[in-house]
Amino acid sequence: MTALALSPPLRRVRAMLLRHAYLLLGSWPRLLDLIYWPTVQMILWGFITRFLVGQSGYVAQAAGVFLSAVLLWDTLFRGQLGVSMCFLEEMYARHLGHLFVSPLRPMELVLANFLVSAMRVLIGVGGAAILAVPIFHYSLIGTLGWAIIPFFAVMMLFGWAIALIISGLVLRLGLGAESLAWAAIFFIQPFSAVYYPIDTLPTAVRWIAYLLPSAPVFEGMRTVLVEHRFDGDLFAQAVAVLLVWLAVGAVAFTLLFQSARRRGLLLQSGE
């Protein structure tokens, strides 16, 4: 499909996507940063797994349980950060005012940022997953099989839902709230049961895990690794909770964006 065949909204999305793609692909430090942290995480947890294989029957039975967990978690983290960073870069450059006096609509910018985020995740997490093969003789796709597709999709979409809320808050509150892009995601990590079953959590806070689509994904991942089966009930639970998060994210971003626009904050976003 050529650019001339695209509708005006899709052409605007394409323009924003190409802008960030050229910015990313034209800067090797940015590419290195995408690959660096997932690779560091992969190497760290790979050595931890190698040690625990000789110490724990559970880990020995479920080879790669920590590597699978850290790569899936990084999918969530990188998906959220990819969208949030697109908005932050526009604010740093004071481009938001220019963008929104053009025909570009907010949801078109969001869609373009989603595509940029997906590209970042594929480069970062994909690069780390490929390096895990020669370093630890571990293949994420070979271990989880086709189940990696629904797990990956849920984690990516959950990251985008969180990013919509964070981006809306940064637009409304200004760059003083930019630390949310890095810090907010780690609040939910202990309750997401990334490296341990939900039952490990204290009973008083276990209900939080059931409000997160990430927790059943990691439970389902361990079911695949230990019992060699895909738990459809856990996945259905993850999708149901995910839909709520996506709705909340979309509504929160829309309301916060409209509030920021009414107050003229988009023109002051670089301050």
Side-chain angles (χ1 to χ4, degrees), residues 161-215:
I162 296 173
L164 286 176
I165 299 173
I166 293 174
S167 299
L169 288 171
V170 173
L171 288 175
R172 178 62 181 81
L173 302 177
L175 287 174
E178 65 178 305
S179 60
L180 290 173
W182 287 271
I185 195 74
F186 289 102
F187 173 78
I188 68 171
Q189 188 177 32
F191 308 105
S192 293
V194 181
Y195 306 115
Y196 42 78
I198 294 177
D199 293 343
T200 306
L201 295 171
T203 305
V205 298
R206 199 173 296 170
W207 60 272
I208 300 177
Y210 297 111
L211 299 178
L212 304 173
S214 50

Side-chain angles (χ1 to χ4, degrees), residues 22 27 29 37 39 68 77 100 126 149 157 220 225 252:
Y22 292 144
S27 172
W37 287 111
T39 301
S68 299
F77 175 63
F100 290 118
I149 298 175
L157 291 171
L225 292 173

